[in-house]
Amino acid sequence: MHPLSYAAHDSSPLKGEQKKLRIGVLISGRGSNLQTLIYACAGPDFPAEIALVISNKADAYGLERARAAGIQTTIINHKDFSNRETFDRAVTDELNKAGVQLVCLAGFMRLLSPWFAEEWRDRLINIHPSLLPKFKGLHTHEAAIAAGEKIHGATVHFVRPELDDGPIILQASVPILANDTPEILAARVLEAEHIIYPRAVRLYAEGRVNVIEEKVFIASN
Ligand code: GRF
Protein backbone atom coordinates (compact mmCIF):
# COMPACT_ATOMS: atom_id res chain seq x y z
CA MET A 1 0.00 0.00 0.00
CA HIS A 2 1.27 3.44 -0.87
CA PRO A 3 2.06 5.46 2.27
CA LEU A 4 -0.21 8.23 1.07
CA SER A 5 -3.21 5.91 1.38
CA TYR A 6 -3.38 6.75 5.05
CA ALA A 7 -3.47 10.47 4.38
CA ALA A 8 -6.19 9.88 1.80
CA HIS A 9 -8.59 8.42 4.33
CA ASP A 10 -8.06 11.37 6.63
CA SER A 11 -8.61 13.82 3.81
CA SER A 12 -11.89 12.46 2.43
CA PRO A 13 -13.94 15.45 1.29
CA LEU A 14 -17.21 13.71 2.22
CA LYS A 15 -18.69 14.76 5.57
CA GLY A 16 -20.17 12.31 8.09
CA GLU A 17 -22.77 10.04 6.54
CA GLN A 18 -22.64 11.91 3.25
CA LYS A 19 -22.54 9.50 0.32
CA LYS A 20 -21.83 11.79 -2.62
CA LEU A 21 -19.64 14.81 -3.09
CA ARG A 22 -21.59 17.87 -4.22
CA ILE A 23 -20.01 19.46 -7.26
CA GLY A 24 -20.70 22.74 -9.02
CA VAL A 25 -19.90 23.04 -12.73
CA LEU A 26 -19.09 26.41 -14.33
CA ILE A 27 -19.64 26.68 -18.08
CA SER A 28 -19.86 29.26 -20.84
CA GLY A 29 -20.82 27.25 -23.90
CA ARG A 30 -21.22 23.84 -25.50
CA GLY A 31 -20.91 21.82 -22.32
CA SER A 32 -19.67 18.50 -23.67
CA ASN A 33 -17.47 18.02 -20.61
CA LEU A 34 -20.46 18.88 -18.45
CA GLN A 35 -22.37 16.18 -20.31
CA THR A 36 -19.75 13.54 -19.49
CA LEU A 37 -19.94 14.57 -15.84
CA ILE A 38 -23.74 14.31 -15.99
CA TYR A 39 -23.45 10.78 -17.41
CA ALA A 40 -20.84 9.81 -14.83
CA CYS A 41 -22.87 11.19 -11.93
CA ALA A 42 -25.90 9.21 -13.11
CA GLY A 43 -24.07 6.03 -12.20
CA PRO A 44 -25.26 4.79 -8.80
CA ASP A 45 -21.70 3.99 -7.75
CA PHE A 46 -20.25 7.34 -8.80
CA PRO A 47 -19.22 9.22 -5.63
CA ALA A 48 -20.28 12.71 -6.79
CA GLU A 49 -23.45 14.53 -7.81
CA ILE A 50 -23.93 17.80 -9.64
CA ALA A 51 -25.59 20.24 -7.25
CA LEU A 52 -25.51 23.25 -9.55
CA VAL A 53 -24.46 24.42 -13.01
CA ILE A 54 -23.59 28.09 -13.39
CA SER A 55 -23.14 29.81 -16.73
CA ASN A 56 -22.05 33.38 -17.38
CA LYS A 57 -23.86 33.18 -20.74
CA ALA A 58 -27.62 32.82 -20.96
CA ASP A 59 -27.40 31.02 -24.32
CA ALA A 60 -24.83 28.40 -23.31
CA TYR A 61 -25.95 25.06 -24.75
CA GLY A 62 -24.64 23.36 -21.63
CA LEU A 63 -27.55 24.90 -19.71
CA GLU A 64 -29.95 22.85 -21.84
CA ARG A 65 -27.97 19.72 -21.09
CA ALA A 66 -28.22 20.45 -17.37
CA ARG A 67 -31.95 21.23 -17.51
CA ALA A 68 -32.58 18.03 -19.46
CA ALA A 69 -30.90 16.14 -16.64
CA GLY A 70 -32.98 17.95 -14.01
CA ILE A 71 -30.00 19.80 -12.58
CA GLN A 72 -30.36 23.22 -10.99
CA THR A 73 -28.95 25.99 -13.20
CA THR A 74 -28.09 29.62 -12.57
CA ILE A 75 -27.06 32.32 -15.01
CA ILE A 76 -24.75 34.99 -13.65
CA ASN A 77 -23.91 37.51 -16.34
CA HIS A 78 -20.44 38.92 -15.78
CA LYS A 79 -21.53 42.11 -17.52
CA ASP A 80 -23.74 42.89 -14.51
CA PHE A 81 -20.67 43.30 -12.30
CA SER A 82 -18.20 46.12 -12.10
CA ASN A 83 -15.14 43.91 -11.66
CA ARG A 84 -13.96 40.32 -11.65
CA GLU A 85 -13.98 39.83 -7.90
CA THR A 86 -17.55 41.00 -7.32
CA PHE A 87 -18.66 38.56 -10.05
CA ASP A 88 -16.62 35.79 -8.43
CA ARG A 89 -18.15 36.55 -5.04
CA ALA A 90 -21.65 36.28 -6.51
CA VAL A 91 -20.69 32.93 -8.08
CA THR A 92 -19.29 31.78 -4.73
CA ASP A 93 -22.51 32.76 -2.92
CA GLU A 94 -24.53 30.56 -5.30
CA LEU A 95 -22.07 27.67 -4.98
CA ASN A 96 -22.19 27.89 -1.20
CA LYS A 97 -26.00 28.08 -1.15
CA ALA A 98 -26.03 24.83 -3.12
CA GLY A 99 -23.60 23.20 -0.70
CA VAL A 100 -20.93 22.75 -3.37
CA GLN A 101 -17.73 21.09 -2.18
CA LEU A 102 -15.80 20.91 -5.45
CA VAL A 103 -15.98 23.38 -8.34
CA CYS A 104 -15.34 22.05 -11.84
CA LEU A 105 -14.55 24.51 -14.60
CA ALA A 106 -15.76 23.05 -17.90
CA GLY A 107 -15.24 25.49 -20.74
CA PHE A 108 -15.77 28.47 -18.45
CA MET A 109 -14.41 31.35 -20.53
CA ARG A 110 -13.80 33.89 -17.79
CA LEU A 111 -10.54 34.63 -16.05
CA LEU A 112 -11.08 34.15 -12.34
CA SER A 113 -9.82 36.55 -9.70
CA PRO A 114 -6.98 35.58 -7.36
CA TRP A 115 -9.59 35.88 -4.61
CA PHE A 116 -11.66 33.06 -6.16
CA ALA A 117 -8.62 30.83 -6.64
CA GLU A 118 -7.71 31.23 -2.97
CA GLU A 119 -11.28 30.91 -1.69
CA TRP A 120 -11.60 27.55 -3.47
CA ARG A 121 -7.98 26.47 -3.19
CA ASP A 122 -7.68 22.71 -3.73
CA ARG A 123 -11.47 22.57 -4.24
CA LEU A 124 -11.39 24.02 -7.76
CA ILE A 125 -10.36 22.07 -10.85
CA ASN A 126 -10.19 22.78 -14.57
CA ILE A 127 -9.82 20.84 -17.78
CA HIS A 128 -7.43 22.29 -20.33
CA PRO A 129 -6.89 21.06 -23.90
CA SER A 130 -3.12 20.59 -23.83
CA LEU A 131 -0.46 18.73 -21.93
CA LEU A 132 0.27 21.48 -19.42
CA PRO A 133 2.56 23.26 -18.84
CA LYS A 134 2.76 23.30 -22.62
CA PHE A 135 0.34 25.53 -24.53
CA LYS A 136 -1.46 27.59 -21.94
CA GLY A 137 -4.28 29.88 -23.01
CA LEU A 138 -6.40 29.63 -26.15
CA HIS A 139 -5.77 27.99 -29.56
CA THR A 140 -3.80 25.12 -28.09
CA HIS A 141 -4.37 22.79 -31.04
CA GLU A 142 -3.11 25.29 -33.60
CA ALA A 143 -0.10 25.97 -31.38
CA ALA A 144 0.75 22.29 -30.93
CA ILE A 145 0.60 21.65 -34.69
CA ALA A 146 2.63 24.80 -35.43
CA ALA A 147 5.29 23.70 -32.94
CA GLY A 148 5.68 20.37 -34.72
CA GLU A 149 4.64 18.39 -31.64
CA LYS A 150 3.97 14.70 -32.16
CA ILE A 151 2.01 14.27 -28.91
CA HIS A 152 -0.74 16.50 -27.57
CA GLY A 153 -3.49 15.97 -25.02
CA ALA A 154 -5.53 17.22 -22.11
CA THR A 155 -4.94 18.04 -18.46
CA VAL A 156 -7.13 18.16 -15.37
CA HIS A 157 -5.51 20.38 -12.77
CA PHE A 158 -6.18 22.34 -9.63
CA VAL A 159 -6.59 26.04 -10.31
CA ARG A 160 -4.13 28.64 -9.08
CA PRO A 161 -4.30 32.39 -9.66
CA GLU A 162 -2.01 32.22 -12.72
CA LEU A 163 -3.67 31.22 -16.00
CA ASP A 164 -3.72 27.45 -16.66
CA ASP A 165 -1.44 26.82 -13.73
CA GLY A 166 -1.70 24.50 -10.76
CA PRO A 167 -1.00 20.94 -9.62
CA ILE A 168 -1.78 18.39 -12.32
CA ILE A 169 -4.25 15.65 -11.36
CA LEU A 170 -4.54 13.64 -14.60
CA GLN A 171 -3.34 13.92 -18.18
CA ALA A 172 -4.16 12.00 -21.33
CA SER A 173 -2.12 12.13 -24.51
CA VAL A 174 -3.13 11.70 -28.14
CA PRO A 175 -0.96 11.57 -31.26
CA ILE A 176 -0.71 14.45 -33.70
CA LEU A 177 -0.96 12.93 -37.17
CA ALA A 178 0.54 14.27 -40.39
CA ASN A 179 -2.65 15.66 -41.91
CA ASP A 180 -4.28 16.93 -38.74
CA THR A 181 -6.08 20.24 -38.84
CA PRO A 182 -6.74 22.02 -35.54
CA GLU A 183 -10.38 20.85 -35.77
CA ILE A 184 -9.47 17.19 -36.28
CA LEU A 185 -6.96 17.35 -33.45
CA ALA A 186 -9.43 19.16 -31.17
CA ALA A 187 -11.94 16.34 -31.66
CA ARG A 188 -9.31 13.74 -30.77
CA VAL A 189 -8.30 15.68 -27.65
CA LEU A 190 -11.94 16.18 -26.65
CA GLU A 191 -12.45 12.41 -26.54
CA ALA A 192 -9.53 12.22 -24.12
CA GLU A 193 -10.99 15.07 -22.05
CA HIS A 194 -14.23 13.17 -21.69
CA ILE A 195 -12.36 10.21 -20.23
CA ILE A 196 -10.15 12.00 -17.75
CA TYR A 197 -12.51 14.63 -16.31
CA PRO A 198 -14.99 12.20 -14.72
CA ARG A 199 -12.06 10.04 -13.67
CA ALA A 200 -10.42 12.98 -11.87
CA VAL A 201 -13.69 13.90 -10.15
CA ARG A 202 -14.07 10.31 -8.97
CA LEU A 203 -10.54 10.25 -7.56
CA TYR A 204 -11.14 13.55 -5.76
CA ALA A 205 -14.47 12.43 -4.34
CA GLU A 206 -12.85 9.24 -3.10
CA GLY A 207 -10.38 11.36 -1.16
CA ARG A 208 -7.46 9.98 -3.11
CA VAL A 209 -6.09 13.24 -4.50
CA ASN A 210 -3.44 14.72 -2.24
CA VAL A 211 -1.60 17.96 -2.94
CA ILE A 212 1.83 17.96 -1.37
CA GLU A 213 4.21 20.82 -2.11
CA GLU A 214 2.16 21.70 -5.19
CA LYS A 215 2.32 18.22 -6.68
CA VAL A 216 -0.58 15.78 -6.80
CA PHE A 217 -0.18 12.28 -5.42
CA ILE A 218 -2.97 9.80 -6.14
CA ALA A 219 -3.41 7.36 -3.29
CA SER A 220 -4.13 3.74 -4.12
CA ASN A 221 -7.49 2.43 -2.94
C1 GRF B 1 -12.72 22.06 -23.76
O1 GRF B 1 -11.83 21.85 -24.82
C2 GRF B 1 -11.98 22.31 -22.49
O2 GRF B 1 -10.76 21.63 -22.40
C3 GRF B 1 -11.73 23.79 -22.53
O3 GRF B 1 -12.88 24.33 -23.12
C4 GRF B 1 -13.51 23.33 -23.93
C5 GRF B 1 -14.91 23.21 -23.42
O4 GRF B 1 -15.66 22.34 -24.21
N1 GRF B 1 -11.44 24.31 -21.23
P1 GRF B 1 -17.10 21.89 -23.69
O5 GRF B 1 -17.89 23.16 -23.44
O6 GRF B 1 -16.91 21.10 -22.46
O7 GRF B 1 -17.67 21.09 -24.81
Side-chain angles (χ1 to χ4, degrees):
M1 181 188 279
H2 192 283
L4 285 170
S5 307
Y6 299 109
H9 292 301
D10 293 335
S11 64
S12 170
L14 298 181
K15 310 280 175 237
E17 292 301 297
Q18 192 192 347
K19 294 274 187 302
K20 292 193 181 233
L21 186 82
R22 292 176 69 76
I23 66 176
V25 185
L26 270 51
I27 61 166
S28 299
R30 178 178 63 179
S32 72
N33 278 288
L34 166 65
Q35 187 68 64
T36 63
L37 293 174
I38 291 171
Y39 287 143
C41 290
D45 297 333
F46 197 77
E49 60 189 343
I50 303 177
L52 177 63
V53 170
I54 298 179
S55 174
N56 65 317
K57 300 249 168 125
D59 61 354
Y61 183 63
L63 287 169
E64 291 184 33
R65 299 180 191 266
R67 289 181 197 124
I71 296 166
Q72 187 193 334
T73 60
T74 303
I75 298 158
I76 307 179
N77 186 344
H78 57 273
K79 292 181 183 152
D80 294 342
F81 296 84
S82 57
N83 61 50
R84 249 176 238 295
E85 189 174 317
T86 52
F87 169 77
D88 288 356
R89 285 181 184 272
V91 169
T92 294
D93 285 347
E94 292 301 317
L95 292 167
N96 284 334
K97 266 191 252 165
V100 166
Q101 297 164 294
L102 173 70
V103 180
C104 301
L105 305 180
F108 185 64
M109 302 304 286
R110 292 289 301 161
L111 287 177
L112 293 161
S113 62
W115 176 84
F116 192 85
E118 283 310 317
E119 181 71 13
W120 292 95
R121 191 181 180 86
D122 294 344
R123 300 181 298 142
L124 170 61
I125 64 177
N126 180 43
I127 182 134
H128 181 75
S130 80
L131 293 172
L132 290 174
K134 283 184 176 174
F135 308 119
K136 296 181 176 183
L138 299 174
H139 311 300
T140 58
H141 311 302
E142 288 90 330
I145 291 171
E149 301 278 314
K150 299 292 179 236
I151 304 285
H152 188 40
T155 302
V156 180
H157 64 100
F158 284 107
V159 172
R160 294 292 182 258
E162 299 75 32
L163 178 70
D164 297 327
D165 191 43
I168 290 169
I169 303 170
L170 287 180
Q171 291 184 307
S173 60
V174 301
I176 299 181
L177 304 178
N179 295 321
D180 276 353
T181 61
E183 292 71 29
I184 290 170
L185 182 56
R188 193 177 303 128
V189 171
L190 196 63
E191 281 184 33
E193 294 182 32
H194 294 166
I195 294 168
I196 62 172
Y197 213 3
R199 197 173 281 174
V201 169
R202 172 186 279 280
L203 288 170
Y204 184 96
E206 289 174 346
R208 294 169 58 193
V209 177
N210 297 277
V211 183
I212 300 170
E213 294 178 353
E214 289 298 84
K215 289 192 180 64
V216 166
F217 295 84
I218 308 284
S220 55
N221 54 3

